C-alpha cells in the first residue's frame, strides 16, 4: 500500500515514532504536504529522508490544485459604487479613476480633482502607513523614473502584503533583470502568485512559458482560465491551438462563451454613457 493510500489509517499516528494522537499528544501536518503528521519537529526531521520523495510529489499536486483553480473574478474585483466587475483594461472606463483598489466616478458637478501637490501628499501618507496599493504605485513611479532598485523594493513590500499587481511587476523585473538579477524561478513564482489571485495577464504569460517548454496541456489550462476572466490574448492563443488540433471544438466554444460573458459583465448603461461623453 502506498503512502498516499495509507494516509487515512495513519492520519492520527505520528509517521516517525508511531505515537497516537491521544490525551496531551497533538499531531501536526507535514509543513509541505497533507500526507503524514508528526508529534514533534524532531520526528519530522528524523523522518525526512524516508518521506521526502512522496512529500515533494504531493506538494506539487497541492500547488497545482491551487494554481489551476478558476478564480471567481479578476484581481481588479468589482467597482464598489456600481457593483459590477472592473474592466481588465480599466482605461476604457474613462469616467472611472482607479486609485489603488478604490474606484470612484469623476463628476465635475460633485467633486474637484485634487491638485498635484495634494495628491502627492496623500499618496506619501499612504506609503508611510504601509498601504500595499500605495507602495505598489510608488514602485511603478520609481520604475518609470528608471530607479529599478527602488521599484523592486517597493513592489516587494507590496507583494508581501498581498498586492497582486506588485507580484506581476516583480515577475517582469526578474524576467528582464531590471533592479535584480534575471531569475526565471522567481519570475514564475510571482506570476503564479498573481495568477492564483485572478491576474489574467500573469496567467496568460504562464501559459506562454509552458508552451515554450513543450507543456501544451498546462498552457491550455492556463489560457482557458484567463480567457474565462475576459483576457483577449488567451482567447487568441486558444484559437491558434484549435487550428493546430490541441483544443477541441467544444472546449474552444465554452471558452468563447465564458470570455464573452466576462466582458459583458463589465458593461453598463452608465459606463456606455461615459464612453460616449
Amino acid at each position: 500500500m502506498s503512502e498516499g493510500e495509507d494516509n487515512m489509517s495513519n492520519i492520527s499516528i505520528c509517521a516517525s515514532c508511531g505515537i497516537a494522537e491521544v490525551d496531551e499528544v497533538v499531531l501536526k501536518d507535514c509543513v509541505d504536504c497533507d500526507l503524514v503528521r508528526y508529534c514533534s519537529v524532531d520526528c519530522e526531521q528524523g523522518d525526512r529522508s524516508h518521506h521526502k520523495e512522496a512529500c515533494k510529489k504531493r506538494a506539487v499536486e497541492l500547488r497545482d490544485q491551487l494554481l489551476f483553480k478558476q478564480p471567481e473574478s479578476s484581481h481588479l474585483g468589482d467597482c464598489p459604487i456600481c457593483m459590477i466587475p472592473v474592466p481588465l483594461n480599466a482605461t476604457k472606463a474613462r469616467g472611472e479613476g482607479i486609485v489603488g483598489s478604490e474606484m470612484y466616478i469623476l463628476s465635475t458637478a460633485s467633486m474637484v480633482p485634487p491638485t498635484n501637490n495634494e495628491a502627492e501628499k496623500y499618496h506619501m501618507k499612504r506609503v508611510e502607513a504601509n498601504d500595499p496599493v500605495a507602495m505598489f504605485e510608488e514602485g511603478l513611479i520609481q520604475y518609470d523614473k528608471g530607479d529599478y532598485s527602488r521599484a523592486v523594493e517597493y513592489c516587494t513590500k507590496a507583494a508581501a502584503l498581498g498586492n497582486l499587481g506588485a507580484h506581476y511587476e516583480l515577475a517582469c523585473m526578474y524576467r528582464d533583470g531590471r533592479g535584480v538579477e534575471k531569475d526565471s524561478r522567481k519570475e514564475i513564482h510571482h506570476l503564479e502568485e498573481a495568477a492564483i489571485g485572478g491576474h489574467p495577464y500573469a496567467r496568460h504569460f504562464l501559459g506562454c512559458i509552458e508552451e515554450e517548454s513543450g507543456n501544451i496541456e498546462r498552457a491550455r489550462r492556463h489560457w482557458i482560465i484567463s480567457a474565462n476572466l475576459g483576457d483577449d490574448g488567451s482567447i487568441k492563443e486558444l484559437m491558434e491551438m484549435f487550428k493546430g488540433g490541441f483544443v477541441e471544438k467544444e472546449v474552444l466554444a465554452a471558452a468563447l462563451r465564458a470570455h464573452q460573458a466576462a466582458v459583458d459583465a463589465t458593461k453598463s448603461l452608465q459606463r456606455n454613457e461615459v464612453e460616449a461623453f
Side-chain angles (χ1 to χ4, degrees), residues 43-54:
C43 274
E44 182 170 7
Q45 293 177 345
D47 191 50
R48 190 64 183 168
S49 60
H50 171 262
H51 174 60
K52 64 180 181 180
E53 291 302 321

Side-chain angles (χ1 to χ4, degrees), residues 4-203:
E5 294 172 337
D6 197 40
N7 184 42
M8 292 306 295
S9 62
N10 289 341
I11 199 66
S12 296
I13 299 174
C14 176
S16 179
C17 68
I19 191 172
E21 188 175 35
V22 294
D23 298 329
E24 301 299 320
V25 177
V26 177
L27 303 182
K28 295 184 179 180
D29 290 339
C30 169
V31 295
D32 294 318
C33 74
D34 59 357
L35 291 177
V36 294
R37 304 177 76 191
Y38 297 100
C39 66
S40 66
V41 173
D42 289 341
C43 274
E44 182 170 7
Q45 293 177 345
D47 191 50
R48 190 64 183 168
S49 60
H50 171 262
H51 174 60
K52 64 180 181 180
E53 291 302 321
C55 182
K56 287 180 181 179
K57 181 179 179 181
R58 182 56 179 162
V60 170
E61 292 174 353
L62 290 173
R63 180 65 173 179
D64 274 0
Q65 287 178 15
L66 182 63
L67 180 60
F68 288 106
K69 182 179 179 181
Q70 178 72 52
E72 294 183 4
S73 65
S74 82
H75 65 298
L76 296 176
D78 295 343
C79 169
I81 294 177
C82 64
M83 302 302 292
I84 62 176
V86 177
L88 294 187
N89 183 359
T91 57
K92 289 182 178 179
R94 282 178 282 173
E96 292 180 299
I98 301 180
V99 181
S101 60
E102 303 165 8
M103 294 290 297
Y104 63 94
I105 304 299
L106 289 178
S107 169
T108 56
S110 62
M111 67 176 291
V112 177
T115 65
N116 288 338
N117 287 339
E118 290 172 334
E120 175 64 17
K121 183 177 180 180
Y122 175 65
H123 167 70
M124 292 312 299
K125 281 186 177 181
R126 292 167 59 209
V127 171
E128 292 167 4
N130 288 328
D131 180 337
V133 174
M135 286 191 287
F136 171 48
E137 291 171 347
E138 185 63 24
L140 295 181
I141 290 171
Q142 296 302 324
Y143 186 93
D144 289 340
K145 290 180 178 179
D147 191 341
Y148 302 127
S149 294
R150 293 194 71 192
V152 170
E153 177 186 348
Y154 280 109
C155 285
T156 298
K157 291 178 179 178
L161 292 172
N163 186 279
L164 301 176
H167 277 295
Y168 178 72
E169 292 300 326
L170 283 170
C172 295
M173 286 188 276
Y174 277 111
R175 178 196 64 201
D176 300 334
R178 292 189 169 181
V180 290
E181 293 186 7
K182 290 185 178 182
D183 191 321
S184 60
R185 291 182 63 183
K186 289 184 179 180
E187 174 197 355
I188 291 173
H189 166 75
H190 287 292
L191 285 177
E192 287 185 349
E193 289 300 305
I196 289 169
H199 199 300
Y201 302 142
R203 176 82 62 180

Side-chain angles (χ1 to χ4, degrees), residues 67 187-189 191-193 195 201-211 218-219 222-223:
L67 180 60
E187 174 197 355
I188 291 173
H189 166 75
L191 285 177
E192 287 185 349
E193 289 300 305
Y201 302 142
R203 176 82 62 180
H204 174 83
F205 283 117
L206 282 174
C208 294
I209 291 171
E210 293 290 5
E211 184 187 44
R218 290 178 68 86
H222 278 304
W223 286 332

